[in-house]
Amino acid sequence: IGQPDFVTVTAGCAANKFNTSYEIVRYKNELYVADGNNHRVLRFATIPTDFGAAATNVVGQPNLTTCLPNQGLAVAAANTINTANSLAVGKDTLSVTDWGNNRILFYSLPVMADNLNAKGVLGQPDFVTNTNYVPVNAMTVNRAKGMVFDGTYIWMNNGTDNRLMNMLLP
């Protein structure tokens, strides 16, 4: 997936290309890929079985051929991502670490359209703030990577703050 054959390794911004894919999760018979340097998450409506399979939908971008941090906007928003690098699925919810915006976003599953607004955010007081907090506190997330759902909690690696955290799911 992401290349036309086993020997090609070129990055790209299209429905069938990645630019530094970080993590994948499966939800029922769907596949979600954190396409980090394209600042998006790609949804494949069925598990791909062929070279060059095209994604069905995109999270974090207005369409499958746009790949700008925060969609090129000056500030973050509920429908933007700046470097998606970790994914987790639980309770019909997709969580995405939005590394460049110092937050974790939550989307209802399945994702059935492009450019959706997140239904919740952790690590920031709202969808437009992307502060790297110093000093940190119990509600801040700076450059999170790696997540696991545990019933009603989400566990995350809050890397640059040198800590592991668990928070109630929103």
Side-chain angles (χ1 to χ4, degrees):
I1 304 169
Q3 299 297 334
D5 53 45
F6 283 121
V7 296
T8 305
V9 293
T10 56
C13 178
N16 63 345
K17 297 294 282 183
F18 303 133
N19 186 357
T20 313
S21 56
Y22 282 105
E23 195 164 279
I24 60 173
V25 294
R26 182 178 179 165
Y27 171 76
K28 298 183 180 177
N29 198 40
E30 301 175 345
L31 187 70
Y32 292 83
V33 179
D35 187 11
N37 288 344
N38 279 335
H39 313 285
R40 64 187 185 174
V41 174
L42 294 175
R43 172 190 175 249
F44 295 83
T46 59
I47 303 298
T49 57
D50 295 323
F51 287 113
T56 310
N57 297 102
V58 62
V59 175
Q61 298 293 336
N63 55 57
L64 289 160
T65 58
T66 302
C67 297
L68 298 170
N70 292 327
Q71 298 184 15
L73 302 173
V75 297
N79 63 333
T80 69
I81 294 175
N82 183 354
T83 312
N85 67 9
S86 295
L87 304 173
V89 169
K91 293 186 175 182
D92 293 329
T93 298
L94 171 69
S95 65
V96 178
T97 55
D98 185 0
W99 190 85
N101 287 321
N102 300 301
R103 64 187 184 175
I104 297 172
L105 298 171
F106 298 90
Y107 300 87
S108 296
L109 288 172
V111 170
M112 300 300 287
D114 298 342
N115 206 30
L116 292 175
N117 285 337
K119 69 176 184 176
V121 61
L122 281 178
Q124 299 294 333
D126 53 47
F127 288 109
V128 298
T129 306
N130 65 356
T131 300
N132 188 352
Y133 289 95
V134 177
V136 298
N137 64 55
M139 298 306 295
T140 60
V141 175
N142 293 327
R143 308 288 195 217
K145 184 171 185 339
M147 297 177 290
V148 172
F149 282 112
D150 177 16
T152 57
Y153 290 92
I154 184 169
W155 288 81
M156 73 198 86
N157 177 0
N158 195 183
T160 59
D161 291 334
N162 302 304
R163 62 184 180 171
L164 294 175
M165 299 175 65
N166 70 339
M167 299 173 118
L168 283 171
L169 290 170

